[in-house]
Amino acid sequence: MEIPLLLRQAIDQALEGVALGDLRRAAATLSERYRGEKLDGALHLSDDLAARAYLATRLPATYAAIRAAMTELAERRPDFSAHSLLDIGAGPGTVLWAAADCWPGLATARLIEASSAIRKWGEILARDSTVAEIVWQAGDIAEGVGEAGRPDLVSLAYVLSELPAAARGRLVDDLWVLTGDTLLIVEPGTPRGWERILSARTRLIAQGAHILAPCPHAAPCPVAAPDWCHFARRVARSRLHRLAKDADVPWEDEKFIYLAASRRPGLAAEARILAPPRVGKGRIDLKLCCADGTLQDRTLSKRDGATFKTARRRDWGEIL
Ligand SMILES: C[S@@+](CC[C@H](N)C(=O)[O-])C[C@H]1O[C@@H](n2cnc3c(N)ncnc32)[C@H](O)[C@@H]1O
C-alpha cells in the first residue's frame, strides 16, 4: 500500500536537509521506545528529529494499517460516510489523510495531539489536504478529551500503548460517548496490542456498540493466547526510509490490529480470514473467525464451487 502522492511529496519536503546520521539515530531510538512500549513520562515524539524520523519510518506503515482498517469498516457499512472526524493522538495527521482517502466527503476534522514537535509537521502536511476545516488542538488526553460535538468518526490510532494502563479504559468510554456514528481504534499487531483491543471491545459491547470489524460477531473472542488476532499490510519503503533503517528490502510488513465499533449495525459477515490462506493444488486452507463466535480451520476444494472461487480471491484480513 502506498500513501497518497500529495502526502508523499509533502513528507519528502519535510525531510529535506536532515542529516542521514541524525535521522538514523532518531529512527533507532524511536523504534526501541515503541518496541519496548516505554512509559517514562516523556513523549516518544518529543523533538523535531524524532518527529521527522516518524514521518520517514513510521507514518507510511501506520497509514497503511489505518487505511486497511477503514476499508474493512466501509465494507461492513456501505451507507456510512465520514463528514466529520475527531482524531486523538493525531501525530502527523495520519488518520486525517487515510479518512479523506476513504471518504472523500470528509469536511471537518479536529485533531488532538500532545507533542508540539509532531503537531507542527502535521499542520504543515495538512496544508495539502482536501479537508476544508482542520483544527489542531494541543492537549493531554490522559486528562480527558473535553467537549467535541458528536463527530461521525472518532479515531485513536497507535495511541493506547502510550497511555498509562489506568487511563485507557476511561478514554475508550469517553470516546464512545463522543462518537456520532463509528469509533475506530488501531493498535500494533502484537499480543499486547491485541489485549488492549480486546479490553476496549469488551467495554464497548457492554455499552451497546455494534462491532463492525474485524469480528463477525459480538461473542467472546475465540482466539486464545499464545495466539493473537492481527493482520498485516505490505508497505513500500522510500529510499530515505531504507537508508534511515539501514534496510536492504524495499518493503516491510506492518502488523496491526483494530476495532471498528458503531452505533448502527453493519452488514452481516459469515467469517473473517485470520491468517494468510494456504493455497494448494485445487484446495485452499483457511483459518476463520466465524459469525457464530467460533474459530475454524476450513479446507475448501473445487467441489465447493462458487465458495472456492470466492475464497481464492480473498486474502488475510478479508471477509469470506
Ligand atoms: C504512535 S503515534 C501515532 C500517531 C498517529 N495516530 C498515527 O497513527 O500515525 C502516537 C501519538 O499519540 C500522541 N500522544 C501520546 N500520549 C498522548 C497524550 N496523553 N495526549 C495527547 N497525545 C498523546 C503522541 O505524541 C503521538 O503523536
Side-chain angles (χ1 to χ4, degrees):
M1 175 162 322
E2 296 273 1
I3 59 178
L5 183 63
L6 279 177
L7 178 58
R8 167 87 277 144
Q9 289 169 341
I11 291 174
D12 287 347
Q13 269 185 11
L15 295 173
E16 267 173 24
V18 189
L20 186 56
D22 292 342
L23 195 65
R24 270 195 180 137
R25 274 187 294 278
T29 305
L30 205 53
S31 162
E32 200 186 298
R33 288 185 68 89
Y34 282 138
R35 231 179 278 133
E37 296 196 349
K38 230 177 214 174
L39 281 180
D40 55 6
L43 289 167
H44 300 324
L45 305 178
S46 56
D47 58 52
D48 187 61
L49 209 49
R52 292 211 264 181
Y54 190 89
L55 300 184
T57 63
R58 287 301 299 146
L59 186 153
T62 62
Y63 177 91
I66 294 163
R67 187 65 185 82
M70 285 175 177
T71 299
E72 297 307 315
L73 180 178
E75 239 187 59
R76 296 297 93 210
R77 279 289 306 282
D79 60 316
F80 172 69
S81 183
H83 297 284
S84 50
L85 164 73
L86 169 66
D87 182 35
I88 308 292
T94 323
V95 169
L96 171 76
W97 285 89
D101 191 56
C102 189
W103 297 285
L106 184 68
T108 66
R110 190 167 142 223
L111 307 151
I112 304 184
E113 170 54 52
S115 154
S116 56
I118 194 70
R119 214 171 51 238
K120 179 193 92 178
W121 284 111
E123 289 182 71
I124 292 172
L125 301 181
R127 285 180 199 151
D128 291 324
S129 163
T130 51
V131 179
E133 192 190 320
I134 303 172
V135 177
W136 284 85
Q137 191 180 318
D140 179 351
I141 39 128
E143 287 166 12
V145 177
E147 265 304 304
R150 297 258 290 175
D152 303 326
L153 180 66
V154 175
S155 53
L156 184 71
Y158 288 86
V159 181
L160 281 175
S161 67
E162 298 192 20
L163 302 178
R168 292 173 193 154
R170 202 193 74 195
L171 176 64
V172 169
D173 294 349
D174 286 354
L175 294 186
W176 179 244
V177 171
L178 295 173
T179 300
D181 191 294
T182 296
L183 169 63
L184 176 65
I185 307 178
V186 185
E187 280 284 288
T190 58
R192 284 187 283 185
W194 172 61
E195 278 163 21
R196 288 187 289 266
I197 288 285
L198 274 189
S199 138
R201 180 180 186 269
T202 305
R203 298 184 87 94
L204 291 166
I205 290 174
Q207 291 169 68
H210 299 275
I211 303 301
L212 298 181
C215 329
H217 59 82
C221 177
V223 178
D227 192 9
W228 73 101
C229 182
H230 65 287
F231 308 100
R233 270 292 172 287
R234 184 148 289 187
V235 183
R237 283 176 171 149
S238 67
R239 189 178 146 275
L240 198 58
H241 185 166
R242 283 206 302 277
L243 291 173
K245 280 197 168 165
D246 237 344
D248 300 324
V249 193
W251 48 262
E252 66 187 14
D253 288 325
E254 174 68 8
K255 292 189 176 133
F256 66 99
I257 179 68
Y258 67 98
L259 184 75
S262 181
R263 298 208 171 273
R264 288 162 198 84
L267 299 178
E270 191 195 325
R272 188 170 297 275
I273 303 171
L274 287 202
R278 287 196 308 277
V279 183
K281 224 176 166 205
R283 59 177 274 167
I284 180 162
D285 296 321
L286 297 167
K287 177 181 174 185
L288 299 175
C289 183
C290 301
D292 62 2
T294 61
L295 202 58
Q296 293 180 19
D297 288 316
R298 199 180 297 169
T299 298
L300 296 172
S301 68
K302 282 185 181 161
R303 263 177 285 150
D304 293 295
T307 315
F308 175 70
K309 279 191 186 152
T310 307
R312 282 207 315 186
R313 291 195 301 271
R314 296 285 188 263
D315 205 350
W316 180 13
E318 294 181 335
I319 284 292
L320 183 64

